[in-house]
Amino acid sequence: MTTRPKSDSSGTEKPDNVSFHNVHPSTGDGAEELLAGLQRTRKHISPKWFYDERGSQLFEAITRLPEYYPTRTEMAILEQNREEISARCGPNCVLIEPGSGSCEKVRLLLSSLRPAAYVPLDISADFLRQTARQLGREYPWLPVTAICADFNRDWSFLQRLPGGKRVVFYPGSTIGNLAPEEARNFLQRVRKVIGDDGGILIGVDLHKSSGRLNAAYNDASGVTAEFNLNLLRRLNRELDADFDPRAFNHRAFYNEEDQRIEMHLVSNKAQRVRCNGSYIDLGEGESIHTENSYKYTIESFASLAGLAGLALRQSWLDPERLFSVHYLSAA
């Protein structure tokens, strides 16, 4: 007897090997966090808020830009070393990917790694649901448990996962979005998730010339600028605000001293913006800091991991040493 895929509330067929759970924090929690950042003397918003459905689509477009080297370089590293990487991770692991996006990179590993289960985590519910279904159709042998969550807040829901060795897959140098102290705290939380027998497969962008880095975040076609400006549209929805994207400019530059890319939305005039029942004032030239992307050397990242109770067991790099992939486990 042939079984048919189940349908969800939208009527869309869902593969039998895919489940979806939404444990994302409420809009109220998010609104409070966003407003607090905008009310600071130096206005700041976490880059996680980039990733509504439109933001996720724009980021996928960024990864294909000629100036943006990290994605294609990391994918080449994963593809060229997948057998060795899979052997290091071990067979039948529970593979957990925070910030899974389109799941493009994990596809390079699934056939050789053959995990017992794959758990994509993402903050964009609709995008995650669509991607998980597509992945389930492509890999009918693979149990996919998709979870919409803010993985920077609470990992307690992972206790419901199937037993087995846990490997956290964290590509894209997303760790670079966190300040070093935040990155250490994140790695400490992951250390608790993987236990003594698990591991972390993590992509880390490397320190390099300012020219190469500045070009990567200021593409000629303006996709990164649109990605940054889309955040204002998200603020309008979340905070019942009236930000006008035309009143802001995208600015990104490499801060050599701190070894990080900084991304800002710069007000091109003095303005007052309605925001959650009150007002936010911005002077001409004042910015909202939307993202950092820290760059590391192999040595500095190994040192950071050590502070979190992790040891760097193996590293893979491209020939130009633009990017790195590391396997970490408990020290």
Side-chain angles (χ1 to χ4, degrees):
M1 180 178 178
T2 302
T3 58
R4 292 179 57 81
K6 299 175 183 178
S7 297
D8 64 8
S9 58
S10 67
T12 304
E13 288 187 345
K14 181 181 67 174
D16 287 333
N17 60 324
V18 175
S19 62
F20 179 82
H21 308 275
N22 194 338
V23 295
H24 188 276
S26 69
T27 301
D29 293 338
E32 183 179 345
E33 176 187 334
L34 287 167
L35 190 60
L38 290 170
Q39 290 174 333
R40 292 169 55 176
T41 303
R42 294 186 177 180
K43 295 174 175 56
H44 176 268
I45 295 173
S46 168
K48 71 184 181 184
W49 294 101
F50 281 129
Y51 300 98
D52 59 1
E53 186 172 8
R54 175 62 175 156
S56 296
Q57 292 167 350
L58 285 167
F59 183 72
E60 292 305 316
I62 287 171
T63 65
R64 292 167 173 80
L65 293 170
E67 299 96 333
Y68 194 79
Y69 66 86
T71 301
R72 63 175 175 269
T73 305
E74 183 178 35
M75 290 182 71
I77 292 171
L78 294 171
E79 187 169 20
Q80 292 166 9
N81 299 281
R82 58 187 166 192
E83 295 298 334
E84 194 172 52
I85 290 170
S86 297
R88 173 64 77 171
C89 293
N92 298 315
C93 66
V94 177
L95 188 64
I96 305 162
E97 184 178 4
S100 54
S102 66
C103 301
E104 184 176 23
K105 292 171 186 172
V106 79
R107 285 176 168 88
L108 299 172
L109 300 176
L110 288 175
S111 295
S112 58
L113 184 57
R114 302 290 293 192
Y118 172 61
V119 184
L121 306 172
D122 208 278
I123 201 167
S124 177
D126 292 339
F127 191 74
L128 175 63
R129 186 183 286 108
Q130 294 167 11
T131 303
R133 288 177 184 156
Q134 179 60 36
L135 197 73
R137 296 185 190 101
E138 292 176 24
Y139 299 88
W141 54 267
L142 177 66
V144 179
T145 303
I147 302 176
C148 179
D150 180 356
F151 55 85
N152 284 311
R153 288 194 176 188
D154 182 13
W155 289 62
S156 61
F157 59 85
L158 293 178
Q159 301 306 316
R160 297 180 298 171
L161 294 179
K165 176 184 177 180
R166 293 176 176 177
V167 174
V168 171
F169 180 44
Y170 203 52
S173 200
T174 309
I175 191 75
N177 292 146
L178 303 174
E181 183 177 353
E182 295 171 330
R184 183 196 66 198
N185 292 339
F186 175 82
L187 290 172
Q188 286 174 333
R189 291 198 299 273
V190 179
R191 165 70 181 85
K192 292 178 181 178
V193 170
I194 65 172
D196 292 334
D197 64 339
I200 308 171
L201 184 65
I202 186 167
V204 180
D205 200 6
L206 298 176
H207 174 64
K208 59 186 66 67
S209 72
S210 296
R212 189 73 178 261
L213 288 165
N214 286 327
Y217 291 83
N218 293 280
D219 60 278
S221 55
V223 181
T224 307
E226 177 59 25
F227 173 70
N228 200 10
L229 290 163
N230 183 66
L231 182 55
L232 297 172
R233 302 181 182 95
R234 177 88 185 263
L235 290 175
N236 286 344
R237 293 196 306 273
E238 299 287 347
L239 296 175
D240 187 29
D242 60 355
F243 285 94
D244 181 0
R246 295 169 299 182
F248 291 83
N249 298 317
H250 163 75
R251 183 177 181 232
F253 63 94
Y254 189 51
N255 182 329
E256 285 271 7
E257 182 177 354
D258 293 330
Q259 292 196 358
R260 70 186 188 190
I261 282 283
E262 292 186 19
M263 202 148 77
H264 298 256
L265 287 166
V266 182
S267 177
N268 57 34
K269 64 180 181 180
Q271 56 181 305
R272 170 169 283 189
V273 180
R274 189 189 76 247
C275 199
N276 207 40
S278 59
Y279 292 92
I280 300 294
D281 291 312
L282 294 108
E284 182 177 359
E286 185 176 359
S287 78
I288 302 172
H289 193 164
T290 56
E291 184 177 44
N292 288 321
S293 183
Y294 285 84
K295 312 304 176 184
Y296 290 90
T297 64
I298 304 299
E299 294 76 18
S300 66
F301 184 72
S303 177
L304 175 69
L307 294 174
L310 295 161
L312 195 157
R313 302 300 183 184
Q314 193 166 354
S315 300
W316 300 269
L317 284 77
D318 64 286
E320 293 184 79
R321 298 181 70 88
L322 297 174
F323 202 92
S324 58
V325 174
H326 309 281
Y327 185 84
L328 312 174
S329 64

